[in-house]
Amino acid sequence: RPEKITSNKVRLNVKKLPAGMPENYNNAVGKFDVSVTKKNHDEKPEIEKPLNVMVKISGSGNFASMNLPKIANSENYIHYKPKVTSNTTTDKEGVKGTLTAEYIIVPKKSGIFPIVLEKFSFFSPTENKYVDLGNPSLVLDVKTHEEIIEAKSTIEKVNDYTNNVLETVNTPVLQTKSL
């Protein structure tokens, strides 16, 4: 059956954030670091082919109420709504862990260009100031399918051809006899 449990009242003294808040403040308080990486590091970006890009915020602070920096719009690529996962733990010092947003990016042009995030800033209570991490980015070298094929070595071309034959050709299974 339901029971009502009460305890002594606790007074909290919540301080206001100091003046001088940056325009791009993300409602984050603590100590954070932001990184942008490809999910598969050895994957070669190809025009019109989807690519997984990870935006990871790690550190300690108020993960639940912060605003994630979004990928900026560009004519060089299309991006879709991210899948956000949280991996945090709580201890005596507060909440620590990572917040990861996994975006699908489809490059529209070939060439070298950056995937840029919105600016990210947070308030550091230990330093008692706002910290601006700027616009984290990931530089992509997007190539066409023909450019990727031309860049392969002879052995890579042979491996691709062999793998294609093994996957697509019906090869008979030969029975062997033991002597």
Side-chain angles (χ1 to χ4, degrees), residues 23-37:
E23 185 179 306
N24 58 329
Y25 177 65
N26 295 78
N27 199 32
V29 177
K31 176 132 181 73
F32 300 100
D33 189 36
V34 179
S35 65
V36 185
T37 58

Side-chain angles (χ1 to χ4, degrees), residues 39 52-55 80-84 100-104:
K39 186 173 182 178
N52 291 336
V53 173
M54 311 283 282
V55 175
Y80 296 96
K81 187 176 178 181
K83 175 186 172 191
V84 179
T100 306
E102 186 175 334
Y103 285 89
I104 295 177

Side-chain angles (χ1 to χ4, degrees), residues 32 45 53-56 76 88 99 109 128 136 153 160 172 178:
F32 300 100
V53 173
M54 311 283 282
V55 175
K56 185 183 281 189
N76 296 323
T88 57
L99 198 59
K109 295 181 180 178
N128 199 29
S153 68
D160 288 346
S178 298

Side-chain angles (χ1 to χ4, degrees), residues 126-149:
T126 55
E127 298 175 29
N128 199 29
K129 69 176 186 175
Y130 293 96
V131 178
D132 189 354
L133 297 180
N135 297 80
S137 65
L138 169 69
V139 177
L140 296 180
D141 184 6
V142 180
K143 299 190 181 302
T144 63
H145 183 68
E146 292 76 25
E147 290 172 329
I148 291 174
I149 290 174

Side-chain angles (χ1 to χ4, degrees), residues 3-65:
E3 291 280 335
K4 186 175 182 179
I5 300 173
T6 59
S7 69
N8 296 336
K9 292 182 180 181
V10 177
R11 291 186 65 103
L12 295 177
N13 183 17
V14 180
K15 297 179 181 179
K16 290 188 179 202
L17 291 173
M21 183 182 300
E23 185 179 306
N24 58 329
Y25 177 65
N26 295 78
N27 199 32
V29 177
K31 176 132 181 73
F32 300 100
D33 189 36
V34 179
S35 65
V36 185
T37 58
K38 291 188 295 183
K39 186 173 182 178
N40 300 331
H41 298 290
D42 55 342
E43 186 177 15
K44 294 182 172 101
E46 186 176 335
I47 193 168
E48 299 294 333
K49 297 277 178 152
L51 178 74
N52 291 336
V53 173
M54 311 283 282
V55 175
K56 185 183 281 189
I57 298 177
S58 56
S60 62
N62 64 333
F63 283 97
S65 61

